[in-house]
């Protein structure tokens, strides 16, 4: 069989609601790996948290982390950073609005106001390791401290308790700077990504590095930060638990993340 590339979002796509990869999904992935299919996790999570999920399948699965700011090709990791100018704007805008932001390196979380463990459980798994991982986080003391960290910080996320006007205002102000890209993986967050970077840019770079044509690429996602990735591949698949707007844009719709959506689609697609 000719090589294929398959990209899978994590939250709401690859894992169930208890942070587990379904056994039947894992079996299908491993069957196809034996046939030469290359699998990538493509997530907004930082690298160390993406690795925790990858390890629930096997170490042959490669990783796109931090919404495309970090991606793997063999043993090499390509990294992009937000940069000091963007970080300064994010810090000032969110501080003025009373919002808390988490900034990520590949393995560390820095928070500005609320400690990560004070977030909702769903938000917490996005910024902290689970029970088997180390919980490495530290408070950003001030702008000078953030400046010292700027060469390490890759991306960030601003989370409010609910979708709010101040979140909308923060998005508008940050986008107006032209210094970064702003996306969302749920209604109550803003994903803060280096300018001109997305899961889709990483996907295209990986396709190019492997020399695999568009028609042999598949991507699975469930939220609006997956839209560009779904449109960048040959077959973009929305999960059954996706919003209707994503389903309308996708080439196909599969079952939900708790119904083996990835496995069911791949078994049908590859006739295994």
């Amino acid at each position: 069989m000719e090589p294929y590339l398959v990209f899978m979002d994590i939250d709401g796509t690859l894992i169930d609601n208890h942070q587990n990869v379904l056994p039947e999904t894992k079996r299908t992935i491993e069957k196809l790996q034996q046939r030469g299919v290359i699998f990538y996790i493509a997530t907004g999570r930082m690298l160390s948290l993406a690795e925790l999920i990858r390890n629930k399948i096997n170490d042959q699965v490669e990783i796109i982390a931090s919404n495309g700011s970090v991606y793997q090709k063999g043993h090499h990791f390509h990294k992009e950073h937000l940069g000091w100018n963007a970080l300064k704007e994010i810090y000032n805008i969110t501080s003025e609005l009373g919002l808390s932001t988490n900034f990520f390196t590949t393995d560390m979380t820095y928070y500005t106001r609320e400690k990560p463990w004070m977030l909702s459980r769903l938000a917490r798994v996005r910024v902290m390791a689970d029970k088997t991982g180390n919980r490495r986080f530290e408070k950003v003391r001030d702008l000078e401290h953030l400046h010292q960290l700027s060469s390490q910080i890759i991306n960030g996320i601003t989370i409010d308790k609910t979708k709010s006007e101040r979140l909308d205002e923060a998005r508008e102000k940050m986008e107006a700077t032209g210094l970064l890209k702003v996306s969302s993986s749920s209604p109550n967050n803003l994903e803060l990504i280096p300018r001109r970077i997305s899961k889709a840019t990483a996907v295209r770079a990986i396709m190019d590095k492997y020399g695999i044509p568009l028609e042999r690429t598949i991507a699975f996602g469930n939220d609006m930060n997956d839209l560009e990735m779904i449109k960048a591949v040959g077959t973009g698949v929305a999960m059954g638990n996706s919003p209707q707007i994503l389903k309308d844009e996708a080439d196909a719709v599969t079952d939900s993340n708790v119904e083996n959506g990835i496995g069911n689609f791949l078994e049908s697609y590859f006739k295994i």
Side-chain angles (χ1 to χ4, degrees):
M1 189 172 88
E2 290 184 297
Y4 276 75
L5 274 167
V6 177
F7 303 93
M8 309 170 291
D9 173 50
I10 290 182
D11 295 285
T13 300
L14 175 62
I15 59 173
D16 64 16
N17 300 337
H18 303 287
Q19 301 292 300
N20 293 314
V21 178
L22 295 177
E24 53 268 45
T25 304
K26 183 175 187 285
R27 278 197 300 272
T28 300
I29 290 169
E30 290 179 332
K31 264 193 242 176
L32 288 169
Q33 283 177 320
Q34 288 168 9
R35 296 187 181 195
V37 177
I38 301 159
F39 282 85
Y40 267 83
I41 280 170
T43 180
R45 295 186 183 201
M46 66 180 169
L47 180 60
S48 62
L49 299 191
E51 287 172 336
L52 289 173
I53 302 300
R54 187 272 306 278
N55 294 342
K56 295 183 180 190
I57 306 172
N58 59 56
D59 62 9
Q60 298 305 302
V61 176
E62 300 208 57
I63 294 173
I64 297 170
S66 298
N67 280 313
S69 306
V70 176
Y71 64 83
Q72 184 179 6
K73 175 66 168 64
H75 297 297
H76 173 72
F77 280 95
H78 176 87
K79 297 172 191 166
E80 300 281 350
H81 296 81
L82 273 166
W84 169 236
N85 289 335
L87 289 172
K88 184 168 55 175
E89 292 289 348
I90 293 165
Y91 185 89
N92 287 335
I93 290 165
T94 56
S95 294
E96 285 167 16
L97 292 167
L99 290 164
S100 188
T101 298
N102 295 279
F103 295 109
F104 307 111
T105 67
T106 55
D107 63 353
M108 186 84 179
T109 300
Y110 294 92
Y111 64 95
T112 60
R113 290 173 71 89
E114 292 183 357
K115 295 180 177 69
W117 60 84
M118 293 172 69
L119 300 170
S120 71
R121 183 182 175 278
L122 186 62
R124 208 160 52 236
V125 298
R126 289 280 287 100
V127 304
M128 295 167 66
D130 65 15
K131 288 175 186 172
T132 64
N134 56 6
R135 302 189 170 199
R136 299 186 61 202
F137 43 84
E138 184 182 321
K139 190 172 192 335
V140 177
R141 296 187 299 274
D142 51 30
L143 259 181
E144 178 53 34
H145 184 209
L146 187 61
H147 191 205
Q148 292 167 11
L149 300 169
S150 60
S151 63
Q152 303 170 53
I153 292 172
I154 288 168
N155 67 311
I157 187 169
T158 297
I159 302 172
D160 207 355
K161 290 180 173 60
T162 57
K163 186 180 185 326
S164 66
E165 286 182 9
R166 62 180 182 167
L167 209 58
D168 292 337
E169 188 178 345
R171 181 180 195 130
E172 191 177 315
K173 286 183 172 179
M174 284 193 257
E175 287 179 336
T177 69
L179 294 170
L180 71 153
K181 181 166 185 172
V182 185
S183 181
S184 292
S185 56
S186 80
N188 72 327
N189 75 32
L190 300 176
E191 301 264 8
L192 314 172
I193 311 161
R195 188 171 45 176
R196 294 190 292 275
I197 297 296
S198 67
K199 290 183 183 181
T201 61
V203 162
R204 291 188 194 103
I206 290 161
M207 286 163 55
D208 187 51
K209 283 178 182 291
Y210 276 105
I212 293 178
L214 189 67
E215 60 268 22
R216 296 207 303 272
T217 58
I218 303 168
F220 296 89
N222 76 298
D223 222 319
M224 296 314 293
N225 69 329
D226 299 314
L227 178 59
E228 286 185 52
M229 175 173 75
I230 279 174
K231 295 179 86 166
V233 296
T235 306
V237 186
M239 304 302 289
N241 48 297
S242 304
Q244 190 59 44
I245 186 169
L246 195 72
K247 293 177 180 177
D248 292 344
E249 293 282 352
D251 299 303
V253 178
T254 187
D255 302 307
S256 78
N257 62 316
V258 298
E259 299 169 316
N260 189 32
I262 289 176
N264 291 341
F265 182 89
L266 291 174
E267 297 225 352
S268 173
Y269 186 93
F270 288 106
K271 300 179 172 56
I272 58 173

